[in-house]
Amino acid sequence: MIRVEKIHKSFGEQEVLKGIDFTFETGKTNLIIGKSGAGKTVLLKLLVGLMKPTKGKVWYDKLDFVNLSKEELQSLRMDVGMLFQGNALFDSLTVEENIRFPLDMFSKKMSIDEKQERVNTCLAKVELEGVNHKYPSEISGGMQKRVGIARAIVLNPKYLFCDEPNSGLDPKTAITIDELISNITKEFNITTVINTHDMNSVMEIGENICLLHQGKLAWQGSKEAVLDSSNETLTDFIFASPFLKKLRNAAAG
Amino acid sequence: MLRELFNSENSVLYHVGKFVMWQKEIYKKPENWSMYYKEIVRQMYDIGIGSLTIVMIISLFIGAVTAVQFSYQLSGGLIPEYYIGYVVRDMTIIELAATITCLVLAGKVGSNMAAEIGGMRQKEHIDAMEVMGVNTSAYIIMPKIIAAIIVIPLLVSLSAIVGIMGGYLASIATGSVTEADYIKGLRSFFVPYNVLMMYVKAFVFAFILTSVSCYQGYFVKGGSIELGEASTRAVVYSDILILVADFIIALVLTS
């Protein structure tokens, strides 16, 4: 479980996050949604420690993430995996070397065979076999996402963060990636936080949703609660597309 | 006023302070020495083998030009011709090998490092490593600096040898001095301390060109235009600092 308490983040005069309280639950796919500029990416960066909040607390279970000592932070880092929007795969390394990178860096006691087995297991988990020796530039965008996920889970993390996992993917591949993340969350019982503005993701895997609007928490709930909600910010966001608006109006008769 | 001087990103003092504080992050204990070792070897190859041709070509011509110019100034004078070998040797060892090689490397290796690291920053590679728990300042920068301070003095040594050979070839080809006189000049008035001066310069310049270029790349903000600017700044600042350091080393080591 990750909890943020009264989180504020400012860049100079501009306050991007204005006192957000939210709990990201274990074993669920937690979604941060909102329009561009709502503060989603900033919140995600605060959660993984790439930025520090101006005010407020971030709790990883019982650990005060903002005030951890360097040793505690280092230890916690081993429990964190992240899929970046642009995948952030190292171009000079093969798929296998990319996935093995965290193991090579931190699992000094693991033998080469054990590392190889772990890499193959992760590749199988993301349904991507036989591309071990290809470079990221030689595989498709969807496959790169899978490699990114495989690298994020190679150290068996307790917390998985995904920054816009569906960006740049066709709808079918996007659904597959969503299912993959959802399955991994359930199988390993981890806390998954996904930053997205993809409506399909919201309706498919949104078990615990946090809607940000102008730096504030505008709505929270599950995908089941989305359609019943009368929250204007939420409906504006969900039915922003003219096509969905027409569908809703048609359904309403 | 004083606070602005240190806090404004446009202030030189701000960057000097940030650069000095950053050095503490670079020289921390590595997470895994073998990963760093691999990276050092890769960087040594990139810097050393990658720059070999350009360093040799430039050194050959520098030696040749020095010999031809000095021969022109000697013509009709009272100074013996064998002095050409002596002057080419000392000019190359004391000044040209280290300074010219490192100025060229600032353009080739420095801009490459700034662009590579800046690209990693923009493509979130650095963020990805930080989330994993890697000390990116150490893992990305330290191997480059270690590799540079090992390989660049070797390149400078080679530059000195090739420069002297360039002087020899030019002198013989133009007939300005005989082979025997050139070699006699090379063997005259040799001061081993000058070689020490060359290596001191090589080490200091290697550190300057890598650390300044890496700093420009590591803290780049924005897009491709800013990355291009950072790459240019890496070369310009490295060149200026190399020349300033050259002057200071010359003052200190010859006083």
Side-chain angles (χ1 to χ4, degrees):
Chain A
M1 181 267 287
I2 302 171
R3 171 149 188 79
V4 291
E5 280 179 10
K6 296 186 174 52
I7 281 283
H8 290 258
K9 180 65 186 175
S10 302
F11 297 97
E13 301 282 296
Q14 191 192 3
E15 193 173 24
V16 178
L17 297 180
K18 300 166 184 169
I20 292 171
D21 286 289
F22 193 77
T23 303
F24 300 94
E25 295 169 23
T26 306
K28 288 188 177 177
T29 42
N30 302 275
L31 265 58
I32 304 171
I33 61 171
K35 290 179 187 167
S36 299
K40 304 187 298 291
T41 301
V42 172
L43 178 57
L44 198 73
K45 285 190 172 179
L46 290 176
L47 289 175
V48 295
L50 289 173
M51 284 180 188
K52 286 214 162 197
T54 315
K55 267 194 293 185
K57 298 254 182 200
V58 178
W59 295 95
Y60 272 67
D61 294 318
K62 288 176 183 171
L63 287 173
D64 178 359
F65 185 60
V66 181
N67 296 313
L68 286 180
S69 68
K70 285 204 168 171
E71 291 73 27
E72 288 172 321
L73 184 62
Q74 184 64 29
S75 160
L76 183 62
R77 291 272 192 223
M78 301 298 104
D79 290 331
V80 173
M82 183 159 179
L83 171 65
F84 283 81
Q85 188 176 356
N87 306 318
L89 299 176
F90 309 132
D91 312 315
S92 59
L93 304 181
T94 62
V95 163
E96 186 178 296
E97 288 164 342
N98 261 288
I99 299 170
R100 209 177 53 216
F101 183 85
L103 294 174
D104 285 340
M105 193 57 102
F106 298 110
S107 304
K108 294 175 203 169
K109 289 176 185 166
M110 252 182 150
S111 69
I112 293 171
D113 289 342
E114 284 171 325
K115 284 179 188 171
Q116 189 60 49
E117 196 183 327
R118 181 86 196 114
V119 168
N120 290 337
T121 308
C122 289
L123 277 171
K125 193 68 67 193
V126 296
E127 295 162 16
L128 197 66
E129 284 153 293
V131 294
N132 297 41
H133 302 295
K134 291 201 170 180
Y135 285 90
S137 58
E138 295 171 340
I139 57 176
S140 70
M143 289 163 108
Q144 287 181 17
K145 289 278 176 201
R146 287 165 191 264
V147 176
I149 295 171
R151 186 178 66 182
I153 62 171
V154 76
L155 288 175
N156 286 327
K158 282 160 72 177
Y159 311 96
L160 177 64
F161 297 90
C162 305
D163 188 10
E164 307 211 6
N166 297 336
S167 68
L169 299 180
D170 66 87
K172 202 172 174 186
T173 312
I175 290 169
T176 319
I177 295 292
D178 278 346
E179 282 171 357
L180 192 59
I181 295 170
S182 178
N183 293 341
I184 287 168
T185 305
K186 297 281 173 293
E187 188 178 339
F188 298 107
N189 193 34
I190 57 181
T191 307
T192 299
V193 181
I194 303 169
N195 172 9
T196 186
H197 44 63
D198 181 2
M199 282 312 104
N200 286 327
S201 301
V202 174
M203 300 316 291
E204 286 298 320
I205 59 167
E207 293 174 298
N208 185 29
I209 302 165
C210 152
L211 170 68
L212 296 186
H213 182 64
Q214 294 176 347
K216 289 180 181 168
L217 178 64
W219 183 85
Q220 57 182 308
S222 65
K223 62 183 177 185
E224 290 80 13
V226 166
L227 294 175
D228 300 332
S229 172
S230 57
N231 183 300
E232 259 186 47
T233 314
L234 179 70
T235 47
D236 274 359
F237 177 71
I238 297 286
F239 298 106
S241 124
F243 174 68
L244 286 178
K245 248 181 209 164
K246 272 183 200 165
L247 275 184
R248 184 179 62 161
N249 293 340
Chain B
M1 174 68 184
L2 199 63
R3 184 173 287 184
E4 266 182 31
L5 206 60
F6 281 96
N7 286 343
S8 164
E9 285 199 22
N10 297 324
S11 143
V12 175
L13 283 177
Y14 169 85
H15 287 286
V16 171
K18 194 171 170 184
F19 178 82
V20 172
M21 299 300 285
W22 185 52
Q23 299 301 308
K24 285 198 297 188
E25 291 298 313
I26 295 173
Y27 305 107
K28 283 197 170 158
K29 192 183 167 204
E31 296 86 357
N32 185 344
W33 264 113
S34 71
M35 291 287 281
Y36 280 62
Y37 174 74
K38 276 185 208 162
E39 193 57 19
I40 290 170
V41 172
R42 190 174 77 85
Q43 291 298 331
M44 283 171 72
Y45 182 85
D46 284 354
I47 298 169
I49 305 296
S51 312
L52 209 54
T53 314
I54 183 82
V55 166
M56 284 176 73
I57 291 171
I58 287 171
S59 306
L60 192 74
F61 281 97
I62 283 173
V65 170
T66 309
V68 170
Q69 297 269 16
F70 191 65
S71 149
Y72 164 72
Q73 285 178 303
L74 280 187
S75 56
L78 296 171
I79 302 170
E81 282 180 347
Y82 76 87
Y83 263 54
I84 293 176
Y86 155 60
V87 167
V88 169
R89 184 201 67 207
D90 272 10
M91 277 290 285
T92 311
I93 290 177
I94 296 173
E95 180 61 19
L96 297 178
T99 310
I100 302 291
T101 301
C102 289
L103 289 175
V104 169
L105 290 179
K108 188 189 176 293
V109 177
S111 63
N112 187 10
M113 281 180 182
E116 180 190 330
I117 298 169
M120 289 176 79
R121 169 70 71 196
Q122 291 179 340
K123 289 166 85 179
E124 296 181 310
H125 291 178
I126 293 179
D127 285 349
M129 286 190 205
E130 281 186 355
V131 170
M132 287 175 203
V134 177
N135 175 0
T136 52
S137 296
Y139 179 65
I140 297 171
I141 314 299
M142 195 210 289
K144 287 183 168 52
I145 292 179
I146 292 176
I149 60 174
I150 293 171
V151 169
I152 289 179
L154 295 176
L155 284 174
V156 168
S157 310
L158 187 75
S159 166
I161 294 166
V162 174
I164 291 168
M165 279 168 57
Y168 170 80
L169 292 174
S171 304
I172 303 302
T174 57
S176 56
V177 65
T178 63
E179 184 180 349
D181 273 352
Y182 189 85
I183 291 170
K184 183 183 173 190
L186 282 184
R187 300 177 69 175
S188 304
F189 320 115
F190 179 65
V191 181
Y193 180 72
N194 292 345
V195 178
L196 173 77
M197 214 174 334
M198 178 182 84
Y199 283 120
V200 169
K201 286 184 179 182
F203 280 115
V204 172
F205 298 168
F207 173 76
I208 289 173
L209 81 90
T210 29
S211 57
V212 169
S213 304
C214 290
Y215 174 83
Q216 293 299 334
Y218 191 81
F219 292 106
V220 74
K221 284 178 185 166
S224 54
I225 292 175
E226 285 79 4
L227 184 56
E229 287 171 354
S231 196
T232 307
R233 275 198 307 273
V235 180
V236 173
Y237 293 165
S238 298
D239 282 351
I240 292 170
L241 288 172
I242 283 172
L243 293 172
V244 171
D246 189 24
F247 177 66
I248 294 170
I249 292 169
L251 273 183
V252 172
L253 294 186
T254 57
S255 61

